[in-house]
Amino acid sequence: MIRKWIVMLLMMIGVTLISGCWSKKELTDLALIAAFGIDLDKEGRYVGTLQIVNPSNVAGSQQPGGGGGQGTAVSVLSTTGDNLDEVSRRASTKISRRLYYAHANVIVISEKLAKKEGINSILDAFDRDPEFRNTATLVIARGTKSADICRALTIIDKIPANKIIKTLKTTENRWGENIFTNIQDVMKSLVSDGKEPVITGIQLNGDPRQAKNLENLQVSSPEAILQTNGLGVFKDGKLIDWFNGKRARGVVWILNKIKSTDVNINWREKKDAIAYEVIREKTSVSATMKNGNPRMSIHVRAEGNIGEARAPVNLTDPGVLKKIEKVLKKEIKHEIQDAVQAAQKNKADIFGFGEAVHRSAPDEWKKMKLDWNDKYFPKLKVNVKVEAFVRRTGLRNKPYSSNIGK
Amino acid sequence: MEKAKLSAYQLFVLVLLFELGSAILVPLAIDVKQDAWLAILLGMAGGCFLFLIYLCLYYYYPNIPPAIYMQKIMGKAIGRALALLYILYFTYLASRVLRDFGEMLVTFAYPDTPMFIVNALLMMAIVYTISKGIEVLARAGELLFVLIYLLAITGFILIVVSGLIDINNLKPMLEEGISPVIKVVFTQTLYVPFGEAIAFTTILPYLNNPKKARVTAISSLWLSGINLALAMAINISVLGVDLASRSQFPLLSTIQSIQVADFLERLDVFFMLALIIGGFCKIGVYLYAAVSGAASLFNVKKPSKLVYPIGLVVLIVSLAIASNFAEHLKEGLQVVTILMHFPFQVIIPLLLLFIAFLKNRKKTG
Amino acid sequence: MPSFFKNRKEKKDDQDEKNSKKLPQFMGETLAGNLEIIKQRTGNSTDVVIRILNIGFQSEIKAAIVYVEGIVNDESVNDFLIESITNNRALKERMTKQNVLETIAEETIALGNVQTVNKWDELLVSLMSGETIIIIDGTNEAIIAGTKGGEKRSILEPSTELSVRGSRSSFTESIRTNTAMVRRIIKNPNLWLESIKIGKVTKTDVSIMYIKGIANDEIIEEVRKRLTSIDIDSILESGYIEQLIEDQTMTTFPTLYHTERPDMVAGNLLEGRVAIFVDGTPFVLLVPVVFIQFFQSVDDYYVRYDIATAIRFLRIFVFFISLIGPASYVAITTFHQEMIPTLLAIAIAAQREAVPFPALVEALMMEVALEILREAGIRMPRAIGSAVSIVGALVIGQAAVQASIVSPAMVIVVSITAIASFATPSFAIAISARLVRFLFMLAAATIGFYGIILGFIMLIVHLCSLRSFGVPYMSPLAPLIPVNTGDTVVRVPWWTLRQRPRLIGNKNNVREGKGQRPVPPENRGMVNNMIEKGDRDDS
């Protein structure tokens, strides 16, 4: 009995000691990567830019021995390679610690790369690696190199990658011209025959050289600032167009991603006189077959409040509200139709209409799926139906301007 | 046979954990894409039928382990050979599950650790358990059952709350008609995981209330089938058909997609818990089946002495059966199904039942 | 401290016994000879008082009263023994050499417990346990009068098992007081008590108490068997017995419950358990026990069920923290950095930036420091206690962090773990969790969460393999006994707890009538009447 236990104990100690440190990685031996940027250099090789967090510069200045809050929150370095694995491994020549990708939440792809080579060939590395998260956000560096995006320091959020994510989330929730797409979503769209991906663009306003200076942050209005801008439309994995402003929002309407936004309408010749805040929105897309041709119907149902009224308007009158709703419907419908037409012109089904057809008419879909984007989608008849409801008008009923001069 | 008694509830729990075991982790029946859940449910129905065969045999010989009643049915020599084959079959299956398990853990969490260590550690826990006897395994199962269901319910709520489920991914149903589903049922889901319940023939004799065996086992199979179908449906609705079919472990990808309130994310440890508990129970039952079979075949008085050598064999075989994961999976789907699952789970039990039926009819007549 | 002296005395006594094997077994006829033997056997111990009296009225009858000073009740010896023997004239007249023994035993002594013996061994054991011996010249028998007593501690509040609500009394060192305290709670003739003496030298009184008809006879028999088979020289505390009768020795988990609360014992007796009282210690053993019992305190039954249930959940949660708290920290910071939210990962990384040790070493250092502090806190004279806590707080708190020896996060983890282990109601289980915690830390440092989960499974398996007097340790959870799960992790209302634990007392299981749920009457008596009246008046 005792001997058995001693043998067991020795075995356990043995296994413990042997296995010792294989997969072990101390936190202090890791370089936490916050963002990963990908560019193409002149020879067509990949340039990977790693935004590495300096923990002690992020987590406040009370840390003993950390120096505290003096330097930049992140350090950035770039390396080149023929594929991303090589880039990542080669980067170890420049940094003392093991690169750790589990916290890389942002992937920045340069516009040039997205246009020229497409994103099909680069996502596998992220998908396959167990360390990398499929929930990482994907953005396109619009008009700049992705390295510049990674290098830019940001205000308020110390870690630039966090700033990008939060900005994307907030603007998706509040404004609705951009969407928050992670690698998994993009890959799903890339693989699907009936859907093409859209990816939000991010651009650097200002001088890239200014953006990486700490001094840039010490002024009240930084010279260079990161900003989301537009939706990149992809076809066959390549960036083909940018949708901006209301057209981009039209896309977001159809994708049922609007959480709240602001729609302006004209009132009695006064332009953009009334601001309508959407608080709830639901879009459903369905496909029907008519004479062998698919036909889409989009149904949008928006609820919201009046956020601002710059013209004298009697908001206590339900009839007036009905009128406002009518104008709103037109406005939203217009945005959506514009987006659909633009997409049809680009021959890229970014709305997932094909998938809707697949679901409702699987047999016909088999015939159409191969040249859906080029043949069927551009000619698709899309029926848009919008319902908009004004639920409340805020703290006041009539605007004060209606009482001026009375 | 050791002196032990199991309650019906314990059998229920063991069957459930065994069925969920590794099946919930792998892309089960993904060949039929969004209809995988249907294939699982149909497989479950078939599995229940198979289990009824095993139960009939058990009711003919309620207190005798299969290794002995095989000899009674088929005669000493053939019966012994069959029993030996079954022991080898269970040992092999135990090492297959262990290999699955080791591969998963090495792939997603411990890339630098040799699989030997990972497998050896799990085997150590299992050998320790089995050497304590079936009662202890059953009791531990009862507690782990609660744990794994708490986990599943939490996971389910989190998935729903984070708004990941897109039912549209499950449409259209039966895109290619019913025939591919039927094909998958008869080549895959019927055997793995449902037919694998044949390992429980070695445990049935311990039941303290044999009458309840049928209801318990069948309801447990039902529940496990529904759970598996639900899990697979969730995987597909979250990941989409393409990603789910490309994933080695769809459940892991599903869990990794969870993001609630910026805090409840990266819940890999959930998956790891499910993985280890599932692997533990499944390998445990297989190992027990092999050990108790060997004990009754070779008349070993203390079955716990056989646990160490057989456990070691399982460990070594698990490393030796394939040189890489792809080979391992291919073997599992093609070779093992035809050469092993089909004869061991269907043909031999049917044959045994037939002969037992004839013999018993003679006796009564 | 009577017990201490008693013990020392008896050891000496025993040595003498060994030295002189040739001593007679039975008493002799002459008083002088008998007294000589007593003196010899007790080594002339100075606390053995021998008082020679002359009883008898006309003829001289010499008698001796022998007792051990300090362990007898002086009052009984003086007032009821010496006084009544010497001053009872009427009796004295009737006494002759032939009937003196009977007369004294039956008529004179005004004490409850009187018997006559003639064996030296019995006589001496009685003498040493505080009884008074009366030896009369010319008889070969002696009277033993029950005069046990002496200084003992009064009943105080429990010091290790405090409760907010419930009885404030705790057991003392005197076995008779202890059993009496339980008797006072359960006034039922079925409360049976059996006594034996264990310990070749100490002759310690050990009693088992159970309720006949509720306790399982097999378990009582098993307890009896295990107790009688103990062969040891001394029993100084119930811990001796605990270690000699437990089912499984290779475990850190207690398979007997010890308590110093009479209400706890009474409650458990009523569930069908058997209590083992040991003289000289306030800790009473209860068998058989189940794992979940260690997370229950008497309070749970006194407060309402919802609160009791919430508190039990908390305790289980706390137990997990105290098991795997530091282990999880080690696993997360050395293996699974991806599992924590990014900002938290950065915060911990920043804290660990200047710490020169790996996480395991850091955790071990802090845990060991904590254990040292805790141990010091227990042994320390009370006056220095506060100094320890100040130094401890400085060392394992602020200073260690500022010196970059440990990270602040580690301090938090260790503190939570420490508090968690204090919050477990049973010290026995808390201390085993402390030990197992180190194993978990090693497992975590070896292979991360995989190690923790494996360790956890093995822990479950181990717990499931334990038995306490034949009862599975994890019951009624595993094996599941649905009727009894109401009083495990949860505590359902009293009016639904109709059955006693099945595995423990397997007969007479129903303990309350049906329909005990309070149903308030429709008409709420006076209060409502007044309100209704008031309403009418208003309207």
Side-chain angles (χ1 to χ4, degrees):
Chain A
M1 187 64 194
I2 298 282
R3 209 175 59 189
K4 199 175 100 189
W5 276 100
I6 291 173
V7 170
M8 274 288 266
L9 205 70
L10 282 179
M11 258 168 66
M12 272 163 96
I13 291 172
V15 172
T16 314
L17 292 182
I18 290 169
S19 60
C21 313
W22 272 309
S23 295
K24 189 169 173 171
K25 36 192 193 289
E26 286 286 340
L27 210 42
T28 42
D29 298 332
L30 297 180
L32 299 178
I33 291 169
F36 190 66
I38 310 163
D39 286 299
L40 271 185
D41 72 357
K42 278 168 198 151
E43 289 106 59
R45 281 150 53 98
Y46 293 117
V47 182
T49 308
L50 305 166
Q51 189 181 81
I52 299 161
V53 180
N54 288 336
S56 39
N57 288 345
V58 177
S61 54
Q62 273 138 34
Q63 298 316 316
Q70 296 302 312
T72 54
V74 291
S75 307
V76 181
L77 51 90
S78 301
T79 39
T80 50
D82 288 321
N83 57 37
L84 294 180
D85 209 39
E86 186 186 330
V87 169
S88 161
R89 301 263 170 187
R90 182 168 289 163
S92 65
T93 53
K94 294 185 183 171
I95 186 148
S96 57
R97 298 184 178 188
R98 177 194 190 283
L99 296 173
Y100 190 61
Y101 288 94
H103 289 282
N105 292 330
V106 176
I107 311 293
V108 189
I109 294 171
S110 72
E111 194 177 350
K112 192 175 144 201
L113 171 63
K115 272 191 174 145
K116 218 171 123 191
E117 207 185 287
I119 53 176
N120 280 348
S121 54
I122 52 177
L123 292 183
D124 184 67
F126 303 123
D127 190 25
R128 189 174 297 279
D129 187 36
E131 204 171 281
F132 218 95
R133 295 282 149 164
N134 268 353
T135 47
T137 317
L138 205 59
V139 290
I140 307 291
R142 188 169 182 182
T144 44
K145 287 198 290 181
S146 60
D148 291 332
I149 302 281
C150 291
R151 284 192 190 112
L153 295 174
T154 50
I155 43 171
I156 300 178
D157 290 297
K158 279 188 173 173
I159 302 167
N162 269 10
K163 182 224 143 82
I164 292 175
I165 293 170
K166 284 187 185 168
T167 312
L168 275 174
K169 275 187 185 165
T170 318
T171 186
E172 189 195 82
N173 282 342
R174 305 288 301 169
W175 185 230
E177 282 183 7
N178 301 101
I179 54 169
F180 185 79
T181 42
N182 61 32
I183 297 183
Q184 198 167 309
D185 301 332
V186 171
M187 259 181 313
K188 268 191 231 168
S189 310
L190 284 174
V191 171
S192 167
D193 294 315
K195 193 175 183 189
E196 295 293 334
V198 279
I199 303 174
T200 295
I202 197 145
Q203 75 177 28
L204 185 65
N205 283 347
D207 185 3
R209 269 169 300 177
Q210 283 277 338
K212 57 185 173 184
N213 277 334
L214 204 51
E215 288 83 56
N216 188 34
L217 302 182
Q218 282 159 348
V219 289
S220 64
S221 82
E223 298 290 323
I225 198 162
L226 289 177
Q227 182 192 350
T228 62
N229 186 5
L231 281 179
V233 176
F234 281 74
K235 192 187 173 190
D236 300 330
K238 283 184 184 162
L239 179 68
I240 51 169
D241 198 6
W242 288 101
F243 283 8
N244 300 315
K246 288 191 174 167
R247 183 175 286 176
R249 191 163 68 185
V251 177
V252 183
W253 280 112
I254 301 174
L255 292 174
N256 191 20
K257 289 263 172 93
I258 293 273
K259 287 185 187 104
S260 94
T261 183
D262 170 80
V263 181
N264 296 337
I265 54 169
N266 306 338
W267 191 253
R268 302 227 171 96
E269 279 78 54
K270 189 158 185 182
K271 225 173 163 302
D272 295 341
I274 295 176
Y276 172 70
E277 293 169 349
V278 177
I279 51 169
R280 223 165 285 129
E281 188 268 335
K282 172 97 187 124
T283 309
S284 45
V285 175
S286 57
T288 44
M289 296 299 294
K290 230 175 199 173
N291 309 330
N293 284 320
R295 192 175 264 244
M296 305 303 303
S297 61
I298 300 171
H299 182 223
V300 175
R301 183 193 157 92
E303 289 177 50
N305 305 331
I306 301 294
E308 193 180 345
R310 295 194 295 128
V313 49
N314 185 5
L315 292 174
T316 51
D317 181 5
V320 173
L321 293 186
K322 278 265 160 2
K323 267 186 207 159
I324 294 177
E325 284 172 1
K326 219 169 167 186
V327 184
L328 275 171
K329 281 179 199 170
K330 241 174 151 178
E331 178 70 28
I332 295 171
K333 191 171 177 179
H334 178 74
E335 274 181 23
I336 292 174
Q337 278 170 336
D338 177 52
V340 171
Q341 279 157 15
Q344 284 179 328
K345 208 183 276 167
N346 280 315
K347 295 184 178 177
D349 178 9
I350 50 180
F351 311 112
F353 288 165
E355 286 183 351
V357 175
H358 181 192
R359 282 194 292 275
S360 57
D363 295 329
E364 284 92 339
W365 170 249
K366 264 179 223 154
K367 283 174 263 162
M368 290 188 282
K369 70 177 181 186
L370 283 180
D371 34 27
W372 169 256
N373 270 328
D374 294 320
K375 200 170 149 198
Y376 295 96
F377 176 69
K379 285 186 287 180
L380 201 59
K381 282 227 167 76
V382 181
N383 178 25
V384 183
K385 193 179 167 220
V386 178
E387 285 179 282
F389 301 97
V390 177
R391 294 295 185 203
R392 272 161 286 272
T393 58
L395 288 177
R396 303 285 176 260
N397 41 39
K398 288 180 214 163
Y400 71 94
S401 56
S402 55
N403 286 1
I404 292 175
K406 265 187 192 171
Chain B
M1 256 175 85
E2 58 176 318
K3 251 195 241 160
K5 278 287 165 221
L6 295 189
S7 68
Y9 174 69
Q10 285 176 327
L11 177 74
F12 177 84
V13 166
L14 276 183
V15 171
L16 193 62
L17 285 174
F18 175 85
E19 293 295 328
L20 295 183
S22 57
I24 201 158
L25 314 168
V26 296
L28 207 59
I30 197 69
D31 292 358
V32 284
K33 295 179 180 169
Q34 58 267 47
D35 296 325
W37 59 276
L38 190 65
I40 294 170
L41 285 182
L42 290 176
M44 181 245 318
C48 286
F49 177 70
L50 286 181
F51 205 80
L52 282 178
I53 299 178
Y54 313 149
L55 276 173
C56 285
L57 280 170
Y58 162 63
Y59 284 129
Y60 277 128
Y61 304 96
N63 294 315
I64 305 174
I68 306 290
Y69 71 60
M70 274 178 204
Q71 296 176 33
K72 288 201 171 177
I73 296 173
M74 304 294 282
K76 259 235 142 101
I78 303 177
R80 271 170 175 261
L82 270 184
L84 186 67
L85 281 178
Y86 267 102
I87 294 164
L88 293 178
Y89 175 61
F90 291 142
T91 314
Y92 176 72
L93 286 185
S95 41
R96 274 200 71 80
V97 179
L98 185 62
R99 174 65 178 251
D100 278 340
F101 168 88
E103 289 283 359
M104 283 183 216
L105 218 51
V106 167
T107 309
F108 99 95
Y110 299 99
D112 309 326
T113 311
M115 197 162 59
F116 172 75
I117 297 295
V118 171
N119 287 2
L121 284 170
L122 184 72
M123 262 336 264
M124 226 162 69
I126 292 170
V127 163
Y128 171 75
T129 311
I130 301 300
S131 67
K132 295 260 179 195
I134 183 72
E135 269 185 336
V136 171
L137 178 68
R139 279 186 222 148
E142 283 178 85
L143 295 176
L144 295 176
F145 167 76
V146 176
L147 187 67
I148 211 162
Y149 262 81
L150 280 181
L151 215 70
I153 292 168
T154 323
F156 183 72
I157 291 172
L158 286 178
I159 289 172
V160 172
V161 166
S162 49
L164 291 168
I165 294 188
D166 182 4
I167 297 292
N168 286 333
N169 281 331
L170 289 173
K171 293 179 196 163
M173 228 181 107
L174 293 179
E175 196 177 7
E176 315 279 330
I178 191 80
S179 54
V181 177
I182 300 290
K183 195 183 159 220
V184 164
V185 168
F186 281 103
T187 51
Q188 294 176 21
T189 51
L190 176 60
Y191 313 108
V192 181
F194 299 105
E196 291 180 311
I198 193 168
F200 280 91
T201 50
T202 55
I203 292 173
L204 287 174
Y206 295 115
L207 275 185
N208 58 6
N209 191 351
K211 277 183 203 152
K212 278 191 181 169
R214 187 178 307 161
V215 181
T216 315
I218 299 297
S219 56
S220 182
L221 282 174
W222 267 88
L223 185 59
S224 64
I226 292 168
N227 281 341
L228 286 174
L230 190 67
M232 206 57 214
I234 288 176
N235 284 338
I236 292 174
S237 65
V238 170
L239 301 174
V241 171
D242 168 71
L243 194 52
S245 59
R246 277 190 299 116
S247 298
Q248 313 258 31
F249 325 112
L251 188 67
L252 175 67
S253 304
T254 305
I255 288 173
Q256 283 182 338
S257 319
I258 295 176
Q259 277 178 312
V260 179
D262 281 338
F263 179 73
L264 290 169
E265 45 188 326
R266 306 159 186 275
L267 299 167
D268 300 20
V269 74
F270 268 44
F271 176 77
M272 207 199 277
L273 247 174
L275 169 74
I276 298 169
I277 292 175
F280 172 80
C281 293
K282 194 153 190 174
I283 303 168
V285 169
Y286 274 139
L287 184 64
Y288 184 77
V291 167
S292 72
S296 39
L297 179 63
F298 301 115
N299 229 341
V300 179
K301 291 229 173 62
K302 265 189 152 183
S304 60
K305 284 204 168 160
L306 288 175
V307 178
Y308 298 93
I310 296 183
L312 198 64
V313 169
V314 169
L315 176 61
I316 291 165
V317 172
S318 80
L319 298 170
I321 43 179
S323 59
N324 58 43
F325 195 34
E327 187 187 329
H328 173 69
L329 284 183
K330 186 118 182 153
E331 267 172 22
L333 282 178
Q334 296 182 351
V335 184
V336 177
T337 309
I338 299 163
L339 287 183
M340 301 180 91
H341 289 328
F342 186 59
F344 280 107
Q345 292 178 4
V346 185
I347 304 233
I348 299 178
L350 269 176
L351 196 67
L352 285 171
L353 183 65
F354 183 63
I355 297 172
F357 173 71
L358 289 180
K359 278 196 171 173
N360 280 275
R361 203 178 55 170
K362 241 184 252 168
K363 253 185 232 164
T364 50
Chain C
M1 300 209 295
S3 58
F4 177 69
F5 285 113
K6 194 176 82 181
N7 290 333
R8 203 183 64 175
K9 270 227 59 64
E10 285 182 6
K11 268 177 196 158
K12 204 170 175 186
D13 177 62
D14 190 60
Q15 280 161 9
D16 282 349
E17 195 176 55
K18 276 177 196 160
N19 292 343
S20 47
K21 274 262 160 85
K22 275 172 254 164
L23 282 170
Q25 227 186 333
F26 296 100
M27 289 176 64
E29 292 263 335
T30 62
L31 180 64
N34 283 338
L35 289 180
E36 191 50 44
I37 289 174
I38 289 179
K39 278 182 188 166
Q40 195 190 336
R41 295 275 301 254
T42 59
N44 244 336
S45 296
T46 44
D47 57 348
V48 178
V49 176
I50 300 176
R51 162 92 194 270
I52 297 175
L53 304 165
N54 190 4
I55 54 175
F57 188 57
Q58 279 136 2
S59 56
E60 278 220 335
I61 305 172
K62 276 202 166 173
I65 287 179
V66 186
Y67 62 90
V68 179
E69 213 175 356
I71 60 171
V72 295
N73 186 341
D74 286 341
E75 205 186 343
S76 349
V77 173
N78 293 334
D79 295 355
F80 303 120
L81 213 66
I82 303 182
E83 172 94 22
S84 54
I85 291 174
T86 51
N87 286 3
N88 199 329
R89 217 186 154 79
L91 271 177
K92 273 192 174 177
E93 283 170 10
R94 294 214 320 266
M95 268 188 219
T96 57
K97 278 209 171 183
Q98 284 73 39
N99 71 354
V100 61
L101 193 84
E102 288 78 25
T103 318
I104 290 179
E106 285 162 20
E107 293 176 51
T108 319
I109 301 171
L111 286 169
N113 191 358
V114 176
Q115 60 189 108
T116 53
V117 292
N118 62 354
K119 274 190 194 156
W120 276 120
D121 286 348
E122 281 176 46
L123 199 69
L124 287 166
V125 168
S126 310
L127 176 66
M128 288 308 158
S129 20
E131 319 214 63
T132 305
I133 304 169
I134 304 163
I135 305 172
I136 295 153
D137 197 19
T139 51
N140 60 354
E141 276 185 314
I143 299 169
I144 296 173
T147 55
K148 276 186 191 171
E151 292 298 315
K152 51 179 114 150
R153 196 161 63 88
S154 58
I155 297 171
L156 296 174
E157 272 197 46
S159 54
T160 58
E161 290 165 87
L162 298 171
S163 71
V164 180
R165 202 166 163 184
S167 150
R168 286 272 177 272
S169 54
S170 78
F171 288 127
T172 67
E173 281 75 16
S174 155
I175 189 169
R176 201 44 71 219
T177 318
N178 294 351
T179 53
M181 285 165 88
V182 179
R183 278 239 186 251
R184 242 171 248 145
I185 300 174
I186 307 173
K187 303 168 191 76
N188 194 311
N190 284 338
L191 182 68
W192 287 13
L193 188 70
E194 293 173 18
S195 295
I196 47 168
K197 285 192 192 299
I198 304 178
K200 277 183 306 209
V201 179
T202 58
K203 310 278 191 218
T204 311
D205 282 317
V206 174
S207 301
I208 61 176
M209 190 188 250
Y210 53 88
I211 299 179
K212 184 71 184 170
I214 293 178
N216 188 337
D217 291 329
E218 285 170 33
I219 291 175
I220 300 171
E221 188 45 47
E222 183 66 30
V223 173
R224 226 178 264 143
K225 207 181 85 196
R226 290 193 198 177
L227 282 179
T228 44
S229 63
I230 294 177
D231 181 16
I232 191 172
D233 63 339
S234 62
I235 299 288
L236 298 185
E237 215 274 341
S238 51
Y240 281 50
I241 298 206
E242 183 177 342
Q243 291 165 57
L244 289 167
I245 64 173
E246 62 189 356
D247 289 55
Q248 164 74 280
T249 50
M250 292 299 286
T251 177
T252 62
F253 290 92
T255 50
L256 286 88
Y257 198 93
H258 63 84
T259 179
E260 53 168 352
R261 294 185 64 100
D263 50 349
M264 186 80 165
V265 172
N268 280 294
L269 288 177
L270 286 165
E271 287 192 339
R273 293 200 173 80
V274 179
I276 303 172
F277 290 79
V278 178
D279 196 24
T281 173
F283 291 99
V284 173
L285 301 176
L286 290 166
V287 293
V289 294
V290 292
F291 180 67
I292 204 74
Q293 214 180 338
F294 293 92
F295 296 95
Q296 303 170 346
S297 85
V298 284
D299 276 28
D300 296 356
Y301 299 95
Y302 303 155
V303 298
R304 280 202 6 262
Y305 65 94
D306 42 2
I307 293 161
T309 302
I311 290 174
R312 281 193 185 169
F313 275 129
L314 180 76
R315 292 201 193 112
I316 305 264
F317 176 64
V318 143
F319 180 69
F320 279 117
I321 291 182
S322 74
L323 268 184
I324 58 173
S328 306
Y329 176 81
V330 171
I332 284 177
T333 52
T334 51
F335 285 93
H336 306 282
Q337 292 90 351
E338 76 275 5
M339 283 182 191
I340 31 178
T342 307
L343 281 178
L344 185 59
I346 292 168
I348 295 178
Q351 291 170 5
R352 300 214 6 92
E353 204 64 28
V355 177
F357 305 109
L360 173 70
V361 175
E362 193 191 355
L364 277 179
M365 250 171 20
M366 289 302 282
E367 283 294 329
V368 169
L370 182 84
E371 295 297 326
I372 294 170
L373 265 179
R374 185 149 44 185
E375 189 59 21
I378 297 170
R379 312 279 163 235
M380 193 69 63
R382 231 160 254 162
I384 324 175
S386 58
V388 173
S389 48
I390 293 168
V391 174
L394 281 176
V395 170
I396 72 172
Q398 200 65 20
V401 171
Q402 277 178 354
S404 288
I405 306 279
V406 294
S407 59
M410 188 67 231
V411 175
I412 296 172
V413 170
V414 169
S415 328
I416 289 179
T417 314
I419 295 167
S421 72
F422 295 140
T424 313
S426 160
F427 181 70
I429 207 92
I431 202 162
S432 52
R434 264 154 74 180
L435 263 182
V436 176
R437 174 156 83 228
F438 284 93
L439 290 182
F440 271 107
M441 273 156 69
L442 285 180
T446 310
I447 197 143
F449 268 119
Y450 180 39
I452 296 181
I453 295 169
L454 269 189
F456 189 67
I457 289 181
M458 280 176 95
L459 182 70
I460 286 182
V461 169
H462 175 71
L463 287 173
C464 285
S465 74
L466 292 180
R467 280 170 181 274
S468 169
F469 283 77
V471 174
Y473 199 47
M474 291 309 275
S475 73
L477 298 173
L480 186 78
I481 305 168
V483 256
N484 293 146
T485 47
D487 183 20
T488 49
V489 182
V490 296
R491 211 255 308 146
V492 295
W494 263 117
W495 32 268
T496 57
L497 271 179
R498 289 192 62 235
Q499 296 213 359
R500 301 193 170 90
R502 279 208 180 160
L503 281 175
I504 294 164
N506 61 357
K507 50 185 179 182
N508 189 7
N509 269 331
V510 176
R511 63 174 155 196
E512 62 186 71
K514 275 183 184 165
Q516 289 297 298
R517 181 177 189 164
V519 186
E522 289 286 320
N523 179 355
R524 288 184 170 252
M526 278 175 57
V527 183
N528 266 15
N529 278 343
M530 279 167 77
I531 292 170
E532 277 158 24
K533 248 182 238 162
D535 284 352
R536 267 198 298 276
D537 286 350
D538 286 341
S539 62

